[in-house]
């Protein structure tokens, strides 16, 4: 909606006993008869008042959001601004302004000419910025168990914790473990936070659980035990046939990083901020919330407060990829910047993620099943408007975000983006029209945002032969992750939580 004021229709016009008043400037027309029938004396008409218009591209914007003021004038020789803007202005033009403080702001323009001076004003409401911080607590975190893990000649101490402040979708609480540097527990070390994968799921309006592939409501809505985290997410991603596997996580362990491995038990991509869990039948009683991001950040807060940490990296695979981005942005809202993130195989890329879903949902080989609705039920689960607030990778990068270097890894075979694994899925029309693969098309706006950001610290890694979560396997992408990490460390970044 535009706000506009026109001085021709809004000016003050008064007539009184032969004196014409135009916005306070008076002109007196005097006619005097002279005897003898001689020619009458007349005066020239008075110069016209300036006529102005002033409009705004929006009548309500959030604080620190740009809006455009546009104005024009006639019968004027000079203009100046006052109120929420200032300075001499051209007789017509436009200007981009930003409201840095919330409140009703008055933008005024005055123009002068031979006929006098005219002023117009418009009002724009500057609304407060949304609160992007994540409320959380580490006060109910308790140590449950400690174990020692030995592989070849190296030994790691693992401490397993439970946070009773946050319940899982159906039963239990959020958990995590801290894995000390090899053979050196208690040492100051860089921290590698790993957020594992696990898809995404939600209850629809009929309380039917919708999820990827063969997952059910019981897959990731219950507490993950110590054994679950070790066997399914640590050893599975670092060992193969009882031999050490050369994965990204393995390399960090061998380099002496401390590892934080966090559970996911609301099946929410680690992105929940405490909203009620919609349509959850709650078979175990009590109101459930979606707490993935809260619990993950609480685990991070606890770890850096109790273990001496230097640089802090976050590595997510599949669902965890969305989680590490969400966490990096939530900390950034508090003025804390993680050293870097590595997001392997999944990112929120609207609108194309929805377009891909609409084109392939229910198709053999695609991850989402027929009958599911990602656009509404899927997004409503989180109870937070990530899309409307612009909290997704290409939006923040286009907005100039450079504080947390981010590596986004995509494989062309990945079924999560309609990839060609097994030759099952066909190229959707939009991708074909652009001359791209499905995965290339779904992530092309992200690639474009990074390519167009001057001196961008971010990396978009699209592999023609890559598949889903290749950083958890022996794969050349692990070398590219190493190069990314080395490049970040070469800039000598500060310690994150000094």
């Amino acid at each position: 909606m535009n706000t506009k004021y026109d001085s021709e229709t809004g000016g003050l016009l008064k007539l009184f006993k032969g004196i014409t008043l135009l916005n306070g400037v008076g002109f007196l027309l005097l006619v005097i008869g002279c005897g003898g029938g001689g020619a009458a004396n007349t005066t020239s008409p008075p110069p016209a008042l300036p006529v102005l218009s002033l409009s705004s591209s929006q009548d309500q914007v959030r604080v620190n959001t740009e809006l455009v003021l546009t104005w024009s004038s006639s019968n004027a020789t000079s203009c100046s601004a006052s109120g929420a803007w200032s300075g001499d202005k051209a007789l017509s033009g436009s200007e981009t302004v930003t409201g840095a403080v919330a409140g009703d702001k008055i933008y005024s323009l005055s123009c002068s000419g031979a006929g006098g001076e005219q002023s117009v004003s418009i009002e724009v409401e500057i609304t407060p910025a949304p609160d992007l911080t994540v409320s959380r607590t580490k006060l109910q975190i308790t140590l449950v168990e400690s174990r020692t893990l030995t592989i070849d000649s190296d030994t790691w101490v693992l401490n397993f914790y439970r946070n009773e402040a946050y319940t899982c979708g159906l039963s239990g609480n959020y958990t995590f473990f801290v894995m000390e540097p090899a053979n050196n527990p208690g040492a100051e070390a860089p921290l590698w936070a790993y957020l594992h994968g696990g898809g995404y799921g939600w209850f629809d309006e009929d309380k039917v659980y919708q999820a990827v592939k063969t997952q059910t409501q019981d897959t990731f809505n219950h507490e993950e035990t110590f054994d679950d985290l070790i066997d399914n997410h640590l050893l599975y991603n670092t060992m193969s046939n009882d031999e050490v596997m050369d994965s990204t996580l393995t390399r960090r362990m061998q380099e002496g990083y401390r590892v934080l491995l966090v559970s996911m038990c609301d099946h929410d991509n680690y992105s929940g901020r405490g909203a009620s869990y919609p349509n959850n039948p709650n078979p175990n009683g009590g109101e459930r919330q979606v707490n993935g991001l809260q619990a993950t950040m609480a685990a991070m807060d606890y770890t850096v407060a109790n273990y001496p940490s230097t640089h802090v990296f976050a590595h997510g695979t599949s669902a965890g990829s969305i989680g590490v981005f969400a966490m990096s942005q939530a900390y950034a809202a508090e003025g804390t910047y993680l050293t870097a993130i590595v997001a392997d195989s999944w990112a929120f890329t609207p609108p194309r993620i929805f377009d891909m879903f609409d084109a392939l949902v229910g198709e053999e080989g695609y991850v989402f099943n027929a009958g599911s609705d990602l656009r509404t039920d899927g997004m409503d689960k989180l109870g937070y408007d990530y899309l409307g607030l612009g909290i997704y990778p290409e939006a923040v990068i286009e907005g100039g975000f450079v504080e947390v270097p981010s590596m986004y890894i995509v494989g062309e075979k990945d079924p999560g983006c309609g990839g060609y694994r097994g030759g099952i899925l066909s190229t959707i029309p939009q991708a074909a029209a652009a001359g791209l693969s499905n995965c290339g098309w779904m992530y092309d706006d992200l690639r474009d945002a990074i390519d167009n950001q001057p001196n961008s610290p971010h990396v978009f890694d699209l592999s023609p032969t890559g598949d889903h979560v290749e950083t958890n396997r022996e794969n050349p992408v692990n070398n590219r992750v190493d190069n990314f990490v080395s490049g970040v460390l070469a800039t000598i970044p500060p310690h994150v939580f000094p």
Side-chain angles (χ1 to χ4, degrees), residues 11 14 56 134 137 151 155 165-166 200 203 218 248 251 275 280 299 364-365 378 409 428 451 458 475 477 487-488:
K14 293 183 179 179
S56 170
V134 176
T137 179
I151 302 175
T155 299
Y166 302 113
Y200 187 50
F203 291 98
D218 294 315
T248 285
R251 294 183 182 190
N280 189 332
E364 181 185 1
I409 300 170
I428 67 171
D451 285 351
H458 312 301
N475 189 279
V477 73
V488 170

Side-chain angles (χ1 to χ4, degrees), residues 160-207:
F160 176 68
Y161 297 89
R162 178 180 295 115
N163 190 342
E164 295 187 354
Y166 302 113
T167 58
C168 302
L170 294 177
S171 70
N173 297 93
Y174 274 85
T175 58
F176 64 94
F177 72 67
V178 177
M179 184 177 192
E180 289 277 49
N183 310 312
N184 198 11
E188 183 179 72
L191 180 64
W192 191 265
Y194 176 63
L195 277 57
H196 67 73
Y200 187 50
W202 60 89
F203 291 98
D204 65 19
E205 295 179 354
D206 296 321
K207 293 183 170 48

Side-chain angles (χ1 to χ4, degrees), residues 409-425:
I409 300 170
V410 179
E412 296 267 23
K413 292 183 178 180
D414 189 349
C417 50
Y420 69 87
R421 182 201 295 172
I424 299 174
L425 293 171

